[in-house]
Amino acid sequence: MNVLIKEAILGGTVKAVASKSHAHRFLICASLSNRETFMACPASSGDIDATIRCLQALGAIIERRSDGFNITPISPQLRKRDGLAVLDCGESGSTLRFLLPVCGALGCGVSFIMGGRLPARPLFALYNEMVSHGCVLTEPGNPRLDCEGQLTGGTYTLPGNISSQYISGLLFALPLLNSDSLIRVTGVLESRPYIDMTLETLRSFNIEIHEEDKMSFRIPGGQTYVSPGNVQVEGDWSNAAFWLSAGAIGQNRITCTNLNPASRQGDRAIIEILSRFGADVSVSKNTVTVTPCKLRGIDIDAENIPDLVPVLAAVASKAEGRTVIRNAGRLRLKESDRLRATAASLSSLGADITENDDGLIITGKKTLPGGETDSFGDHRIAMTAAILSSVCAGPALVKNAETVNKSYPGFFDDLAALGAKSAEV
């Protein structure tokens, strides 16, 4: 699907969609718990659907309702069975990295099926720790990954600068084992807010994790997930950031509702970063409004906010002076090489942007001509290009825009509701 954005003077109010990061975590905990759970979550996405699909393959019963999902946990009888259960992850890295250790802890044989760039994304650090703790896995890097055997307790050592999802996956799995375990993180622990989200979700299901320090987690074995009965998925700060950024670079204010200002989601940092750019940002209860003002270039450390990098580059493209985005090297291992894709996509619309080993350098311009750009198969690149298109002097064509379905199927509907004139071509 190619989308031509002819005119986009955006303004108005939009409701933040459900956080897929929260939904993944609730779905897994609920499927491992002692009784049914209702998860309030009015909309889904490709990645959320992938986790649901895989949990259903493991034996959970997940029924969709108009306002969310009713989750009946995997029965103990189904946790041990003959043959390999087939788990189709699609392109969802969270689904694979969260559920691989869980399946090892359950001791059930599974075959993960992966699409897109997922087979090529890093897995070796988690793979090696699982193999050294009782699991038998086929070689990673292929579209199919088989896992058999029984994960055992002990000490797990993982690097902190590749993916926080390795740590979260083990935090879900290790409480199910009979013996205690310890996770030690080496190097720099990046994306710490995502681990905090995992810990908060586990606590809501009565799971105890003890932090000996910021780099180690002690997990008692023999625990039982206890469902709180009902859980509410928060609005997604990562996707709301596109609309808030559009308010910063456009001509009219944009308001985003359904956002928790006290959320554990690291991407709520968007309000502080847009303020540093010079935008007028106001927060009231669960609502954030951004009003355009004169923007200036800033320095951004992306260590804990990797998903914000593309749209922040779009904001920087309209900010006076130079913006430097640092500590973003692992974005090269996402759905695309996200640093290269961001630079190429925004350059195609007229932005002055260059990449280096671990970040981007952007010099703002008063006028961007528009043109033809590509999503590179990456949902965040497609949405970023659409947002920058809203301030281009001419029309812009976003190619392969259907990739937004991975996290935000209604993105272009909401873009139109805010005033964009676009057409599928």
Side-chain angles (χ1 to χ4, degrees):
M1 177 180 82
N2 300 330
V3 174
L4 179 65
I5 300 172
K6 308 170 191 176
E7 183 182 346
I9 302 175
L10 305 182
T13 300
V14 62
K15 182 179 180 181
V17 295
S19 165
K20 69 185 182 79
S21 295
H22 258 142
H24 286 309
R25 288 162 170 79
F26 281 142
L27 284 164
I28 292 168
C29 289
S31 295
L32 297 173
S33 67
N34 63 332
R35 63 188 179 106
E36 288 188 1
T37 304
F38 178 72
M39 182 180 79
C41 179
S44 191
S45 67
D47 278 7
I48 295 173
D49 289 343
T51 293
I52 290 172
R53 215 168 37 236
C54 291
L55 290 169
Q56 288 173 325
L58 291 173
I61 300 172
I62 303 176
E63 301 168 308
R64 187 167 196 159
R65 298 183 180 177
S66 60
D67 55 347
F69 298 87
N70 197 68
I71 304 145
T72 302
I74 305 165
S75 69
Q77 292 76 23
L78 288 175
R79 293 183 181 186
K80 304 278 188 179
R81 56 184 168 188
D82 296 329
L84 298 178
V86 178
L87 277 61
D88 179 5
C89 297
E91 297 183 44
S92 175
S94 298
T95 303
L96 173 65
R97 291 165 175 168
F98 289 169
L99 288 182
L100 181 57
V102 168
C103 291
L106 295 177
C108 55
V110 296
S111 180
F112 288 94
I113 307 300
M114 296 167 277
R117 272 173 51 102
L118 185 54
R121 292 174 66 182
L123 193 65
F124 267 110
L126 178 60
Y127 175 97
N128 290 337
E129 287 300 286
M130 290 185 61
V131 168
S132 67
H133 288 82
C135 287
V136 179
L137 292 92
T138 54
E139 192 74 15
N142 298 303
R144 172 173 170 155
L145 176 67
D146 294 345
C147 174
E148 297 183 88
Q150 175 65 58
L151 200 66
T152 59
T155 299
Y156 291 75
T157 303
L158 291 167
N161 64 341
I162 299 178
S163 176
S164 66
Q165 293 169 354
Y166 298 161
I167 300 164
S168 287
L170 287 171
L171 288 172
F172 291 127
L174 298 179
L176 299 170
L177 304 181
N178 292 328
S179 57
D180 297 351
S181 299
L182 178 69
I183 301 173
R184 293 193 186 279
V185 183
T186 60
V188 177
L189 178 51
E190 298 181 354
S191 293
R192 171 71 202 209
Y194 287 100
I195 295 174
D196 290 337
M197 286 178 62
T198 301
L199 294 172
E200 182 178 64
T201 306
L202 287 167
R203 283 193 291 269
S204 71
F205 281 79
N206 206 41
I207 295 295
E208 294 182 17
I209 307 289
H210 305 293
E211 290 189 69
E212 297 195 335
D213 52 51
K214 290 296 183 181
M215 304 294 283
S216 59
F217 306 87
R218 187 168 295 281
I219 304 101
Q223 297 191 62
T224 299
Y225 280 78
V226 178
S227 172
N230 295 279
V231 293
Q232 173 75 54
V233 175
E234 290 183 353
D236 185 32
W237 280 95
S238 301
N239 283 329
F242 292 101
W243 308 125
L244 299 176
S245 296
I249 64 177
Q251 300 178 36
N252 302 302
R253 71 179 58 184
I254 292 180
T255 296
C256 235
T257 63
N258 192 38
L259 292 171
N260 175 13
S263 172
R264 292 282 188 178
Q265 296 177 57
D267 287 346
R268 69 186 176 91
I270 187 67
I271 58 178
E272 181 266 333
I273 297 171
L274 291 178
S275 295
R276 287 204 291 123
F277 268 115
D280 180 355
V281 181
S282 62
V283 181
S284 177
K285 294 184 179 178
N286 69 339
T287 297
V288 181
T289 299
V290 178
T291 303
C293 291
K294 183 176 180 179
L295 305 179
R296 60 190 180 278
I298 60 174
D299 191 276
I300 300 170
D301 184 341
E303 179 178 301
N304 288 319
I305 52 162
D307 287 343
L308 293 183
V309 167
V311 77
L312 290 176
V315 174
S317 298
K318 293 296 292 180
E320 182 180 301
R322 190 173 81 151
T323 296
V324 178
I325 301 176
R326 310 175 191 277
N327 292 328
R330 62 210 164 95
L331 287 178
R332 297 193 183 282
L333 306 173
K334 296 288 187 177
E335 288 86 341
S336 65
D337 177 339
R338 201 169 274 170
L339 290 180
R340 181 160 297 172
T342 298
S345 181
L346 300 191
S347 293
S348 296
L349 298 176
D352 182 349
I353 177 172
T354 57
E355 59 173 304
N356 54 36
D357 287 346
D358 81 333
L360 299 167
I361 301 171
I362 309 102
T363 301
K365 299 172 70 172
K366 289 184 178 179
T367 303
L368 300 173
E372 182 177 302
T373 191
D374 199 286
S375 73
F376 295 89
D378 191 321
H379 55 130
R380 299 202 187 280
I381 303 301
M383 291 187 280
T384 294
I387 293 305
L388 191 59
S389 297
S390 71
V391 294
C392 288
L397 180 69
V398 182
K399 299 169 67 176
N400 301 309
E402 71 281 355
T403 190
V404 300
N405 294 331
K406 190 174 194 294
S407 64
Y408 197 163
F411 175 82
F412 285 104
D413 292 334
D414 285 346
L415 188 72
L418 289 173
K421 295 179 180 178
S422 62
E424 186 177 336
V425 295

